[in-house]
Amino acid sequence: MKASERILAPVARRMLYNVTAVASRKVVTRRLFASSAASSSSRGVVDLRSDTLTSPTRAMLECGIEAPTGDDVFGEDPTVLELESYVANLFGKEKALFVPTGTMGNLVSILAHCHGRASEIIVGSSSHICMYEGGGAANLGGVHTRQIPENEVDATLSLDAVRDVYRQDNDDHYAQTSAVCLENTHNVMGGVALPLSYMDEMGRLAKDELNIQLHVDGARIFNSAVSQNLSVERLCRAADSVSVCLSKGLGAPLGSVVVGHTEFIRLAKRARKRCGGGMRQAGVVAAMGLYALHHHVDRLAEDHARATRLGAELGRLGFVQPRNGQIDTNIVYFGLPSHSLITDNDQFMQRVFDEYNVRFTGGYSQGGRLFRLVTHKDIDDEGIDRTLNALTKVCFG
């Protein structure tokens, strides 16, 4: 081999590697785009288990591919900084913090509000924080949860009940109440949108009367705002902090944003590090979250309309419905009618899936008799038609 060939050979190999890598990325990208393009109906399965099942769109994936990145732990990822600034402004709060999950968003918020020891929070006994977050406030944060039941119709915590369980730091027997937590919309209570008047009332009670913080688990806060034709800023004006999920109805693949005042976010960021939530080149997913916020908020009304249609048809057919069949947003709970030909809940769900390719979840309140359907951007009108047909055929033949 000539000297010039020996010199150029490594360069040629690198060029071949780069061409191959680019081609491979294009193939993977095309596959990603193809997998994100179809609705769940056209793929054969109508999956109503949760709005966390949404797939990123092609445009969303392109944003992730093209996003400028840096090291977010150092505070140097420009896309994360853009996302945080945008969400803080959207909610009218001073600062924001990007975290991997909604559970972590709630946890770091609680840890920030309860930065000292011997603290407790007031939460609803059916709230997501209480039931579905692994007891993280107590297990990881050493924070006691004082639980009170929600109203079964409107999912509110009674203001007087909050007053009754509030405890000051003036008795050695008590943990000091540091915050009250609301969930809006409220999942287990039926996707209930807590109204603006109640949010303002709780804010006044917390700040003016009890001198504690108000945290909002806003995993579906945009659903609540859209259903009430309100801005999230106005709806959450009374809140000291809000945890906002990007990966449910908005359709981003992951991520939540916590908003609040500057000192709260400083403490939440410290808590995020303790929870292992520091991310590096997180701009890839932050860009998808930004896209979701810019393009997928208004369309939540379509999910609400489809859920309302589901609820109305189920009521007409005699299915059991909590809240007298009222549907606020994108979540529908129902139980088997008294004249159903099938009475076993597990068999009912399995048959609907096996025979009609429709999926949903069960085992909820009223002795585990309720099922849940959640509409989202990957469920179209055909999917609703197929769902109603499947439920009707399995129940009534």
Side-chain angles (χ1 to χ4, degrees), residues 209-232:
E209 185 176 332
L210 304 180
N211 193 31
I212 60 176
Q213 304 293 294
L214 171 58
H215 173 67
V216 175
D217 174 1
R220 296 181 176 90
I221 193 66
F222 286 100
N223 292 89
S224 182
V226 167
S227 73
Q228 300 180 66
N229 195 29
L230 292 168
S231 69
V232 288

Side-chain angles (χ1 to χ4, degrees), residues 382-393:
E382 179 198 350
I384 301 301
D385 292 339
R386 288 176 53 192
T387 299
L388 290 169
N389 178 64
L391 299 179
T392 302
K393 291 291 181 62

Side-chain angles (χ1 to χ4, degrees), residues 52-69:
T52 59
L53 292 158
T54 50
S55 299
T57 63
R58 176 177 183 134
M60 189 182 290
L61 289 166
E62 287 176 338
C63 285
I65 291 171
E66 297 171 359
T69 61

Side-chain angles (χ1 to χ4, degrees), residues 308-326:
T308 299
R309 181 186 163 210
L310 273 173
E313 286 298 310
L314 291 173
R316 186 182 64 80
L317 292 166
F319 285 85
V320 174
Q321 292 185 298
R323 304 183 70 223
N324 295 317
Q326 180 179 339

Side-chain angles (χ1 to χ4, degrees), residues 97-155:
L97 179 70
F98 186 43
V99 296
T101 70
T103 293
M104 186 178 289
N106 283 329
L107 180 57
V108 301
S109 298
I110 292 167
L111 294 178
H113 288 313
C114 303
H115 192 59
R117 301 295 289 180
S119 294
E120 74 176 4
I121 57 172
I122 299 171
V123 295
S125 57
S126 295
S127 67
H128 197 277
I129 289 175
C130 179
M131 295 180 66
Y132 298 120
E133 298 185 5
N139 293 334
L140 303 176
V143 177
H144 179 250
T145 57
R146 191 69 185 272
Q147 303 163 23
I148 55 179
E150 295 91 338
N151 181 287
E152 291 187 1
V153 175
D154 63 16

Side-chain angles (χ1 to χ4, degrees), residues 142-183:
V143 177
H144 179 250
T145 57
R146 191 69 185 272
Q147 303 163 23
I148 55 179
E150 295 91 338
N151 181 287
E152 291 187 1
V153 175
D154 63 16
T156 60
L157 302 179
S158 162
L159 300 182
D160 284 338
V162 172
R163 289 187 181 98
D164 288 342
V165 301
Y166 164 74
R167 299 191 285 195
Q168 301 181 47
D169 189 24
N170 60 0
D171 190 314
D172 294 345
H173 296 88
Y174 298 152
Q176 180 183 11
T177 305
S178 295
V180 58
C181 303
L182 300 178
E183 184 178 337

